[in-house]
Amino acid sequence: MEIIKTAVAGTVESSDIMITIEPTQSNTIEIDLESSVEKQFGRQIRQMIEATLANLKVNSAKVTAVDKGALDCAIQARTITAVYRAAEQENFDWKEIDSWNA
């Protein structure tokens, strides 16, 4: 999926995460994470974002994540929503998304 504009999903409320995704010229995924629990869970948060982007076939993007203790399911949901908004896609493939958690 190609990122064509900047998009945001989520909030900075407790137990949530705000994901901002932007297009980038490089063919890499850049993740900038700010989290109150980064020392304990930073690696897991980054892995969840990277895995979700890989499942969505996003190869190039800059992701800024502001985490307030979100669970994996919230991280995944916010990342999916931000990607679909940034790619200007309106139809979610729920069957495909559901298969990631099987």
Side-chain angles (χ1 to χ4, degrees):
M1 203 173 297
E2 183 182 356
I3 304 303
I4 56 178
K5 68 177 190 176
T6 300
V8 179
T11 67
V12 289
E13 297 295 320
S14 182
S15 300
D16 201 358
I17 188 168
M18 186 170 62
I19 300 284
T20 304
I21 190 161
E22 305 172 53
T24 182
Q25 299 300 327
S26 67
N27 283 334
T28 60
I29 301 294
E30 300 173 43
I31 299 175
D32 181 25
L33 174 63
E34 177 187 318
S35 176
S36 57
V37 294
E38 185 166 2
K39 287 185 179 184
Q40 298 91 338
F41 301 108
R43 187 173 351 151
Q44 173 64 24
I45 295 166
R46 283 185 178 84
Q47 287 175 347
M48 180 58 63
I49 293 169
E50 288 171 355
T52 304
L53 293 174
N55 285 331
L56 293 169
K57 296 175 180 53
V58 174
N59 301 316
S60 177
K62 180 178 183 209
V63 178
T64 304
V66 180
D67 173 59
K68 299 296 183 180
L71 297 175
D72 286 352
C73 57
I75 296 167
Q76 185 179 53
R78 298 307 192 189
T79 303
I80 291 168
T81 303
V83 167
Y84 271 76
R85 288 176 179 169
E88 294 186 336
Q89 297 290 315
E90 295 182 10
N91 298 317
F92 288 81
D93 186 352
W94 292 114
K95 191 176 242 183
E96 173 67 22
I97 292 169
D98 191 42
S99 74
W100 304 342
N101 299 316

